[in-house]
Amino acid sequence: MSLTRFSCVIRATQKLQVYQWAWSCKHKADYSSRAESFLTGSNVNYLEAQYLDWAKTKGSIDSSWDNFYDSLSGPALQIEDIQDEFSPTTVKPKSKQDTSKDKEAITEKIKLHLAVQNLIRSYQARGHLLAKTDPLGLSLAASYIMKSKNATLETKGLECRIVSREIGRVLCEKHMDMVFKLPDRTCIGGTETELSLREIIHRLENVYCRSIGTEYLHLFDIDCINFIRERMETPGALDKSVEEKRLIMRRLTKAVFLEKYFATKWPAEKRFGLEGGESMVVMLEEIVDTSTKLGVESIVMAMQHRGRLNMLVNVCRKQLTDIFAQFKPMEPKEAGSGDIKYHLGTYIHRFIRRTNKYIKVSMSANPSHLEVVSPVVVGKTRAEQYWKGDNNGDKVMAIIMHGDAAFSGQGVVYETMHLGNLPAFTTHGSIHIVCNNQIGYTTDPRFARSSPYCSDVAKCVDAPVFHVNADDAEAVAHVARVAIEYRCKFKKDVVLDLVCYRRFGHSEEDEPMFTQPFMYKKIKSMQTVDKIYGEKLKAEGIVTDADVKGWEKEYMDTLNRHFELAKKVTKLSIMDWIDTPWTGFFEARDPKKVEETGISETSINTISRHFCKAPEPWAFEVHKGVNRILANREKMVNEGVADWAMGEALAFGSLLRDKIHIRFTGEDVERGTMAHRHHVYHHQGVDGATYRVLDVLYPDQANYALHNSSLSEFGILGYEVGYSYSSPQLLTIWEAQYGDFADTAQPVFDTFICNGESKWVCQSGIVVQLPHGVDGAGPEHSSGRVERYLQACDDDEDNIPDLDDKEMAYLPAAARQELNLM
């Protein structure tokens, strides 16, 4: 045995001495020095020297040591060989009965911990079903499920099974004070890693079953799920500072008192007020403020008529004088029909004091046809992102507000939302806000949709949904902040379902007790949200009666001052309500002159030759059929003839040369429905490789955005109309697959294209192409129904203009009026 091995044995023996001493202390035994082992630390050096002598010559030391050193030199040394009867390491084997009990205890403990994990997951997934989001307290999402099962819903204590089946089955009252380790996929513990079951349930109910109902576990991206989980579950996540609470109170005061002022001054006037949902102002203001902190420079908004006047004043900062002037009949300054006040739009560059930054906020004009404006605003947003070079949606975003009945009932909502991840149509995430009055005109939700929530269409597009009680102002502000942070971080859609109520009927002159007597008995007893929140802040000592009354008086004085100023307005100006102006476009143009549009023969040759030329065969393999088409084109060019495809290419190419951006979309526009266009070639040997013919016409040309669209007419045409509003230096084209199919986009023609300029001074250069032919394909492929659109755009069918009249203006009426004003 080596010296090192010998030393290890000695040290092991020293540890045994410690065990022997501990055992003797426990049993208070009195051992004499003779009972102690000689293998102590004080003898180590002596024994090592003696061992070396013994190893060299066994007879050099007393023979009584031979057995000891022989045992230490054996091949299978075990610590047990040098342990004595005092060693505490000797353990009696357990009986089979004891082992079985231990296994059962371990199994039970694992079962309970798994049940707790399932419990937490269940609250995260279904806690929203029990959330108290209805300020009237009349509806609960869980009731929808229980009615479908003809079951009774119990929502208290351990009898509540709608969220988690573990409660009352695996986890019972006896487990409530047991402490469980928290899983990684929850943040309810904060810095704590263990909590009692009672505390776990308490925290989960506070997060998921109070004023906010959160739907997010259907999302595909785990990072998105963790982001929302952290923002909602972390203890103290909903806490607000004193300054934030006072700001919320001031915003509620303005929202409530503006509606009261309208009702007092114009009690019989239609205005579709925001009463019952005034906290929407808090929601929008929080989004706008936080967005500036996150780098957003422009917000494009759309909304329904309800609450629009309040939004124009308190979010878009439209002058109160202009709003009040709309309540009295006046002659318009400009030509055009104008529109009712709760359809008008505007834009402004706002300064946000909380962040010391400017932001452009625009509200798009909208028609009475609900939701038609949604795709229009998304298209406007995409266009503004293009002009700003905002390829990731960091600077420009859309906020689209909806009514609850329209959000679940109008198909264009899906047609708009499904564009969110399409490369040629994405705006990198929009915020959708549902002003959920819990009624559609006079129709109850149970007769208006087939799902628990009006927002369920959002689950089709991987968007989280936050349901929030509109009477809990701090919860409203919190979900607004989470929503804008989520959108800016992940560039995805998010939906806020603001559950409120409609204090009056569909309009102020409507009687809701005809159809919803029980609901409106409850509504009549409801306090306004500023009173509810004011009492809360007073109880917390954050505001006083004097503070609240001071804010109310200050705002009332402002309202009265602008009311007096509005009396001096004698004519209405439609130009004051433009939401997307073409600034400076009409100043240098003669409205009676048609500008030259021809191009030189050199340009014709350049464009036509390029259009006939295939890419190099060694670099790109073109389909044989395309080569035949190109050969026919070349022959046609040599003969000095042009067909439709060639004429189109010459028009597009010359515009691109002149720095005019072209956006051309439709269901099959890259090839063309009739296989006539072929502006995009597909490599026959490399999947996904394409050659875009007109993209490489001139080295310094404008962008040619040619894209196939989804199979949607309503949504895509609305989108392109919105895109066309952005600039006059732009040609926007939408082409139907067949001309007759444009009929499913009829609301866009009727409410935007035909009369948008007359109503709202919305300038647009949209071009609609309706290909069709009489080729035996049936009635729905044989006519573009052009007469419908021409008739819709004609103010007076009996007035036939003289095209030879040199005094006839070629610019539209609103444009001519703009010139006169300038």
Side-chain angles (χ1 to χ4, degrees):
M1 183 179 68
S2 67
L3 183 60
T4 303
R5 178 180 173 90
F6 180 85
S7 299
C8 290
V9 172
I10 296 298
R11 288 178 174 81
T13 307
Q14 291 174 348
K15 292 183 180 180
L16 295 176
Q17 297 300 314
V18 174
Y19 296 152
Q20 179 181 347
W21 172 79
W23 190 90
S24 64
C25 290
K26 180 178 180 181
H27 296 278
K28 298 181 180 179
D30 183 19
Y31 294 99
S32 66
S33 59
R34 291 176 300 172
E36 294 179 357
S37 171
F38 62 90
L39 295 174
T40 63
S42 59
N43 297 328
V44 170
N45 294 333
Y46 171 79
L47 291 173
E48 285 182 349
Q50 189 183 61
Y51 169 75
L52 291 175
D53 292 338
W54 177 84
K56 292 178 182 179
T57 307
K58 290 190 176 182
S60 60
I61 64 173
D62 192 273
S63 59
S64 61
W65 289 94
D66 290 345
N67 289 335
F68 174 72
Y69 287 124
D70 281 334
S71 66
L72 293 180
S73 301
L77 177 66
Q78 299 291 333
I79 289 296
E80 288 79 8
D81 295 339
I82 57 173
Q83 291 177 354
D84 54 22
E85 67 272 20
F86 300 106
S87 173
T89 60
T90 304
V91 179
K92 293 182 180 180
K94 290 186 177 181
S95 66
K96 290 183 178 180
Q97 184 177 2
D98 292 338
T99 302
S100 177
K101 289 181 179 180
D102 289 345
K103 287 183 178 179
E104 289 178 3
I106 293 172
T107 301
E108 179 66 16
K109 190 172 183 180
I110 292 173
K111 181 179 178 182
L112 292 175
H113 272 81
L114 289 175
V116 169
Q117 290 191 27
N118 289 337
L119 172 73
I120 293 172
R121 178 77 174 182
S122 297
Y123 269 96
Q124 292 171 342
R126 295 187 295 279
H128 57 86
L129 294 172
L130 293 178
K132 315 303 186 295
T133 56
D134 180 9
L136 301 176
L138 301 178
S139 64
L140 197 66
S143 302
Y144 178 91
I145 298 173
M146 302 309 291
K147 284 179 181 178
S148 66
K149 295 182 176 182
N150 295 321
T152 303
L153 177 65
E154 175 61 52
T155 62
K156 295 182 180 180
L158 296 178
E159 297 303 316
C160 177
R161 309 285 173 80
I162 193 68
V163 170
S164 176
R165 297 293 176 89
E166 286 76 23
I167 297 179
R169 293 184 178 181
V170 180
L171 301 171
C172 305
E173 184 63 40
K174 64 181 180 180
H175 303 119
M176 295 298 283
D177 294 317
M178 288 181 61
V179 176
F180 294 89
K181 185 173 178 60
L182 297 174
D184 294 335
R185 293 183 179 179
T186 185
C187 301
I188 59 171
T191 58
E192 300 174 272
T193 58
E194 295 180 342
L195 291 174
S196 68
L197 178 59
R198 192 183 307 279
E199 183 64 17
I200 289 172
I201 295 175
H202 173 70
R203 295 192 184 188
L204 289 171
E205 289 183 346
N206 279 343
V207 171
Y208 293 108
C209 301
R210 294 183 67 187
S211 295
I212 301 173
T214 311
E215 292 186 273
Y216 67 104
L217 287 192
H218 60 278
L219 302 179
F220 299 125
D221 190 338
I222 293 179
D223 290 336
C224 295
I225 292 174
N226 288 336
F227 177 89
I228 295 174
R229 182 184 288 139
E230 180 181 340
R231 296 300 189 280
M232 300 304 298
E233 290 187 353
T234 302
L238 272 69
D239 293 347
K240 303 291 180 192
S241 66
V242 172
E243 292 76 13
E244 289 174 327
K245 291 181 179 181
R246 290 173 67 89
L247 181 60
I248 291 172
M249 184 64 212
R250 296 198 67 171
R251 287 172 170 171
L252 288 175
T253 300
K254 290 181 178 180
V256 171
F257 272 74
L258 179 60
E259 296 296 346
K260 288 181 177 179
Y261 198 81
F262 286 144
T264 301
K265 295 295 184 181
W266 301 280
E269 187 81 15
K270 273 188 181 182
R271 56 186 169 82
F272 295 94
L274 194 58
E275 290 98 335
E278 294 95 338
S279 58
M280 181 182 277
V281 171
V282 173
M283 178 176 282
L284 265 295
E285 287 285 78
E286 182 64 43
I287 292 173
V288 172
D289 288 359
T290 307
S291 68
T292 60
K293 187 186 302 182
L294 299 174
V296 176
E297 299 175 359
S298 177
I299 293 177
V300 186
M301 293 197 295
M303 74 174 296
Q304 72 289 342
H305 45 272
R306 183 162 312 285
R308 190 179 188 89
L309 298 181
N310 210 316
M311 291 293 137
L312 287 170
V313 172
N314 286 312
V315 178
C316 299
R317 295 297 194 263
K318 188 67 178 174
Q319 288 295 313
L320 282 164
T321 303
D322 294 334
I323 297 287
F324 292 160
Q326 287 283 334
F327 281 89
K328 59 181 181 178
M330 288 184 291
E331 290 292 325
K333 287 183 181 180
E334 306 90 6
S337 65
D339 202 352
I340 45 182
K341 50 189 168 293
Y342 43 82
H343 284 176
L344 301 177
T346 191
Y347 82 99
I348 190 174
H349 290 274
R350 277 188 57 182
F351 180 72
I352 307 300
R353 291 187 176 88
R354 290 173 72 182
T355 57
N356 290 323
K357 292 182 178 180
Y358 279 95
I359 186 171
K360 177 188 172 186
V361 179
S362 64
M363 176 75 77
S364 295
N366 76 289
S368 293
H369 197 304
L370 295 174
E371 298 296 343
V372 184
V373 72
S374 297
V376 175
V377 161
V378 177
K380 287 176 65 175
T381 304
R382 171 77 178 210
E384 190 169 342
Q385 289 174 347
Y386 169 79
W387 294 114
K388 286 180 175 288
D390 184 17
N391 297 324
N392 296 316
D394 297 320
K395 299 178 181 179
V396 185
M397 61 169 286
I399 299 176
I400 307 174
M401 288 163 273
H402 314 262
D404 52 315
F407 197 69
S408 59
Q410 293 290 310
V412 72
V413 173
Y414 175 77
E415 289 195 44
T416 302
M417 296 186 74
H418 91 287
L419 301 176
N421 289 325
L422 301 184
F425 295 89
T426 181
T427 57
H428 309 284
S430 301
I431 295 180
H432 296 265
I433 300 174
V434 182
C435 183
N436 187 351
N437 300 306
Q438 307 183 75
I439 189 172
Y441 210 136
T442 64
T443 304
D444 290 334
R446 65 182 184 274
F447 302 122
R449 62 176 184 263
S450 299
S451 62
Y453 299 115
C454 63
S455 57
D456 285 329
V457 66
K459 296 175 186 176
C460 298
V461 294
D462 195 34
V465 182
F466 298 92
H467 311 277
V468 61
N469 188 320
D471 275 357
D472 188 338
E474 289 182 18
V476 170
H478 179 71
V479 297
R481 183 176 298 180
V482 173
I484 183 60
E485 289 176 346
Y486 178 90
R487 183 270 164 195
C488 289
K489 181 177 178 64
F490 297 105
K491 302 297 190 296
K492 295 182 178 180
D493 281 6
V494 57
V495 176
L496 298 174
D497 177 19
L498 182 71
V499 186
C500 52
Y501 56 89
R502 195 182 65 193
R503 188 170 289 276
F504 304 110
H506 179 67
S507 66
E508 286 68 26
E509 59 187 25
D510 194 30
E511 175 50 75
M513 292 286 285
F514 286 151
T515 51
Q516 278 77 32
F518 185 76
M519 172 185 277
Y520 275 86
K521 286 177 184 177
K522 177 67 176 179
I523 289 174
K524 287 179 180 179
S525 68
M526 297 292 290
Q527 282 187 312
T528 55
V529 64
D530 63 323
K531 298 296 183 185
I532 295 172
Y533 193 57
E535 293 300 323
K536 178 178 182 295
L537 295 190
K538 289 174 189 176
E540 294 176 3
I542 292 175
V543 301
T544 63
D545 279 330
D547 292 330
V548 175
K549 290 179 180 177
W551 294 333
E552 293 173 355
K553 182 180 183 304
E554 179 185 2
Y555 194 58
M556 284 298 295
D557 291 343
T558 300
L559 294 172
N560 288 326
R561 185 169 63 255
H562 284 85
F563 179 77
E564 295 301 321
L565 292 173
K567 292 179 180 179
K568 301 177 183 179
V569 179
T570 58
K571 285 192 175 183
L572 289 177
S573 174
I574 303 175
M575 303 298 296
D576 291 339
W577 300 88
I578 297 178
D579 55 69
T580 312
W582 285 5
T583 305
F585 178 66
F586 297 106
E587 286 91 338
R589 284 170 172 77
D590 185 349
K592 298 177 181 179
K593 180 181 178 182
V594 176
E595 297 186 12
E596 293 293 333
T597 59
I599 61 175
S600 67
E601 187 173 348
T602 302
S603 295
I604 291 176
N605 288 332
T606 300
I607 298 169
S608 60
R609 296 295 178 187
H610 178 83
F611 195 49
C612 300
K613 183 181 178 182
E616 295 294 337
W618 58 266
F620 196 95
E621 183 183 351
V622 178
H623 191 278
K624 293 178 181 179
V626 173
N627 283 324
R628 287 194 296 269
I629 292 173
L630 295 179
N632 291 333
R633 285 178 182 172
E634 186 174 13
K635 179 181 177 182
M636 186 171 52
V637 170
N638 292 333
E639 294 174 353
V641 180
D643 62 2
W644 176 266
M646 181 59 71
E648 191 179 65
L650 291 171
F652 293 171
S654 59
L655 288 171
L656 295 172
R657 178 204 60 186
D658 294 341
K659 307 297 189 296
I660 301 298
H661 167 43
I662 299 175
R663 179 177 171 88
F664 188 4
T665 66
E667 288 155 20
D668 302 282
V669 296
E670 293 180 3
R671 191 201 73 168
T673 302
M674 314 299 179
H676 66 287
R677 184 170 294 121
H678 288 286
H679 284 192
V680 178
Y681 305 152
H682 291 261
H683 199 300
Q684 299 301 297
V686 179
D687 184 37
T690 59
Y691 177 83
R692 304 178 70 89
V693 181
L694 295 184
D695 284 11
V696 290
L697 179 57
Y698 293 98
D700 58 346
Q701 68 179 54
N703 176 255
Y704 181 40
L706 174 73
H707 303 289
N708 287 341
S709 74
S710 65
L711 191 66
S712 162
E713 288 83 30
F714 194 165
I716 300 298
L717 178 57
Y719 185 102
E720 300 307 337
V721 167
Y723 199 98
S724 72
Y725 286 159
S726 66
S727 171
Q729 306 301 321
L730 163 69
L731 173 60
T732 308
I733 306 172
W734 175 74
E735 182 176 86
Q737 187 183 63
Y738 283 90
D740 304 68
F741 298 172
D743 54 6
T744 58
Q746 195 63 43
V748 180
F749 288 103
D750 291 343
T751 59
F752 280 91
I753 296 176
C754 293
N755 52 25
E757 185 176 15
S758 175
K759 294 186 294 186
W760 313 311
V761 199
C762 286
Q763 288 115 1
S764 168
I766 186 73
V767 173
V768 176
Q769 296 189 170
L770 307 175
H772 62 278
V774 184
D775 56 359
E780 284 76 41
H781 292 74
S782 303
S783 171
R785 307 289 184 185
V786 179
E787 66 279 0
R788 292 191 302 187
Y789 310 115
L790 295 176
Q791 186 178 17
C793 293
D794 190 5
D795 288 335
D796 186 356
E797 64 273 14
D798 295 326
N799 181 21
I800 301 175
D802 182 4
L803 300 181
D804 295 325
D805 183 4
K806 295 182 179 180
E807 296 300 315
M808 185 178 71
Y810 292 94
L811 285 178
R816 296 199 304 274
Q817 186 63 48
E818 185 174 346
L819 268 175
N820 294 334
L821 291 175
M822 294 172 179

